[in-house]
Amino acid sequence: ARWRSNGSSLRTDGGCPTRRTRLRGSRTSSASARRAFYSHRGTRCGPSPLLTQIDFTDATQTNVQTRFRRHIRRNGTLAKLPVDATPGPAAPPQPAAAAALAPGGAPIAVGQYGARLSAIANVLLSPACSTEQSSKPAYLECALSHREVEALLRAAVPGLDAVLDRLNTTPVLKFILGTFDAGLPTFKSNPALVRHTRDALRTILAVCATLHPDVRGPLLRRIVDSFTACQVIQAQTIDQVYAIVTGRDHSLREQVLALADLYKQLALDELILQNFPSINSGVEGPHTSNHVLRNIGPQLGLPGVARAIADPLANRGPMADATTQSLCVAYRALFDADSLIEDFIAEINAQDDTPRHVSQRTLEQWAVDAKDRGFDSHSIYFHEEAAATYKGRPRDLYQPFLNKAVAIAIVEKVLGL
């Protein structure tokens, strides 16, 4: 089966034993099929057979050292393997029908909201929705010393000193502190980008120091986890976490676009997995991704184009026009607007302090302002008469709680549809 998660593509494949994992919920009888091969953000993260644990029952992937946990989604079936005769855990839910392509490569979503989701995808995959063009940095001063940064990270990641870089030679803490001081050196051809990685990381740490440990823990573990990969992935993760910690002061449109960036990255990961299968388990993965990104990113409004241009290992000459257009068509088919809407709903409906891209407070303020533009500002709250259209019930009826129809209407309004 092929799975995917935020930031990594995963493929269970008995023919690729280069990556050993501890699996739960697997019913395969073949010993080789118990080895999961995957592009862990494009790199091998060391030879440890227990570094990453994949739980196919819960659909999660966990770095055992950093304890960073990401969700994975089943993306398709590569081949069917024999299973043990003895009953095992229930299989993960089957994926939704794959998107089709309209003439010209426009994605066609399947289901009740297909046409509207396709329209949302078309707008999001345009230069007008590039966060690189619209976002203005909002860096914060960080007065933390090295010792205070270490304490913050150690509290979030017990055993931090044992977490090594992708070559398994140096503790990642050394590189985190180096980036805290001077930014990521691989982008030295773009000094502004180097300064951005430094200032964004310092902002993340400054904000995290003010948050409850249960809230900042997942954010810091995500940062530490990224430093077990190459600098391209470190920069990508810094940008993603920076968008979360600074997003509370952004407009609803900016918050939605930041969430959409995650799904743009997922589609790019899957595009590389499908079109460049031979490099997914090696260190070339992120640089190949950047090579593609610098060619298709500007016309699709993708994040990270400046980072890709500054990546010295991604400079492989111009891509043929026919290849560029073919990859754009394939990319549009992979962008999952339906899951983006589901995550938008989950972020708004979350009834805890989980870090999120879209805040309830921002949505409430936007709904009041959008009332003059024909939006029903009361629709963002739970309605008992439509209870069957919601996933669950809110504990507080005075907090926003969305169903899918309202969520789609909000995103359409935000994007000007």
Side-chain angles (χ1 to χ4, degrees):
R2 182 182 284 120
W3 297 67
R4 69 180 182 180
S5 69
N6 287 350
S8 66
S9 297
L10 165 69
R11 184 168 60 178
T12 55
D13 186 345
C16 301
T18 59
R19 182 82 174 115
R20 292 178 181 268
T21 62
R22 181 171 57 193
L23 304 182
R24 291 188 297 174
S26 173
R27 297 178 59 189
T28 56
S29 58
S30 168
S32 63
R34 293 183 184 275
R35 303 186 185 102
F37 161 77
Y38 66 102
S39 62
H40 187 66
R41 303 176 307 280
T43 67
R44 290 192 185 94
C45 288
S48 170
L50 298 181
L51 181 59
T52 300
Q53 175 179 297
I54 310 299
D55 188 330
F56 289 109
T57 301
D58 293 337
T60 57
Q61 168 187 327
T62 305
N63 184 313
V64 175
Q65 290 183 310
T66 65
R67 298 196 302 169
F68 175 63
R69 185 182 185 189
R70 57 168 59 86
H71 290 285
I72 59 176
R73 292 183 178 87
R74 186 162 180 168
N75 215 34
T77 300
L78 296 174
K80 292 190 175 182
L81 299 175
V83 298
D84 294 330
T86 55
Q94 293 298 314
L101 282 180
I108 299 178
V110 184
Q112 179 182 359
Y113 301 106
R116 297 170 70 185
L117 291 171
S118 292
I120 288 173
N122 283 329
V123 173
L124 288 173
L125 299 181
S126 68
C129 286
S130 168
T131 53
E132 290 200 348
Q133 302 300 323
S134 61
S135 297
K136 296 180 180 179
Y139 305 127
L140 299 179
E141 289 294 328
C142 182
L144 298 175
S145 66
H146 276 203
R147 180 172 295 180
E148 290 170 321
V149 170
E150 289 183 28
L152 201 61
L153 295 174
R154 291 184 195 282
V157 184
L160 178 62
D161 290 329
V163 182
L164 305 180
D165 67 346
R166 64 189 178 93
L167 300 178
N168 285 297
T169 58
T170 308
V172 298
L173 180 58
K174 175 181 177 180
F175 296 111
I176 295 174
L177 293 176
T179 305
F180 178 83
D181 289 336
L184 293 170
T186 195
F187 304 111
K188 59 185 178 183
S189 65
N190 186 338
L193 185 56
V194 174
R195 290 193 297 272
H196 165 73
T197 58
R198 177 198 65 195
D199 295 341
L201 179 60
R202 293 174 71 88
T203 298
I204 290 168
L205 293 169
V207 173
C208 282
T210 68
L211 299 176
H212 188 278
D214 291 343
V215 177
R216 69 181 179 228
L219 299 174
L220 294 175
R221 286 192 284 273
R222 187 169 178 178
I223 292 293
V224 172
D225 184 70
S226 73
F227 276 78
T228 64
C230 68
Q231 292 183 51
V232 171
I233 302 304
Q234 294 163 24
Q236 175 185 310
T237 304
I238 288 172
D239 279 348
Q240 292 172 350
V241 177
Y242 175 76
I244 294 175
V245 301
T246 61
R248 67 186 70 188
D249 298 322
H250 292 174
S251 69
L252 184 63
R253 175 184 168 83
E254 290 173 318
Q255 292 180 357
V256 168
L257 293 182
L259 180 60
D261 278 352
L262 291 180
Y263 282 87
K264 292 180 179 182
Q265 183 61 48
L266 278 174
L268 182 62
D269 291 343
E270 185 65 17
L271 184 73
I272 301 304
L273 177 68
Q274 291 187 4
N275 291 273
F276 304 89
S278 62
I279 55 86
N280 276 297
S281 63
V283 295
E284 285 300 306
H287 307 296
T288 299
S289 180
N290 276 345
H291 171 61
V292 172
L293 180 58
R294 64 198 296 170
N295 283 278
I296 72 171
Q299 61 183 293
L300 293 174
L302 306 187
V305 174
R307 188 172 63 238
I309 292 173
D311 180 0
L313 298 180
N315 186 9
R316 305 176 185 183
M319 186 177 286
D321 289 344
T323 302
T324 300
Q325 292 309 310
S326 175
L327 288 172
C328 284
V329 169
Y331 180 92
R332 287 181 178 277
L334 293 169
F335 183 74
D336 192 349
D338 186 59
S339 290
L340 167 61
I341 294 296
E342 293 292 345
D343 269 5
F344 176 68
I345 295 170
E347 292 216 7
I348 293 298
N349 292 0
Q351 301 180 63
D352 53 29
D353 292 328
T354 302
R356 64 190 82 193
H357 293 85
V358 188
S359 76
Q360 294 179 329
R361 178 174 59 86
T362 302
L363 174 60
E364 288 181 300
Q365 293 173 341
W366 174 88
V368 171
D369 295 337
K371 185 177 180 180
D372 295 336
R373 303 194 302 274
F375 181 80
D376 179 5
S377 60
H378 296 289
S379 67
I380 67 173
Y381 301 101
F382 181 83
H383 290 268
E384 186 65 46
E385 64 274 16
T389 66
Y390 296 88
K391 293 183 178 179
R393 302 174 66 89
R395 290 197 297 263
D396 184 350
L397 293 176
Y398 295 98
Q399 294 292 332
F401 200 82
L402 306 179
N403 59 24
K404 193 164 189 174
V406 173
I408 290 176
I410 292 170
V411 174
E412 287 174 332
K413 203 76 172 177
V414 164
L415 298 178
L417 291 172

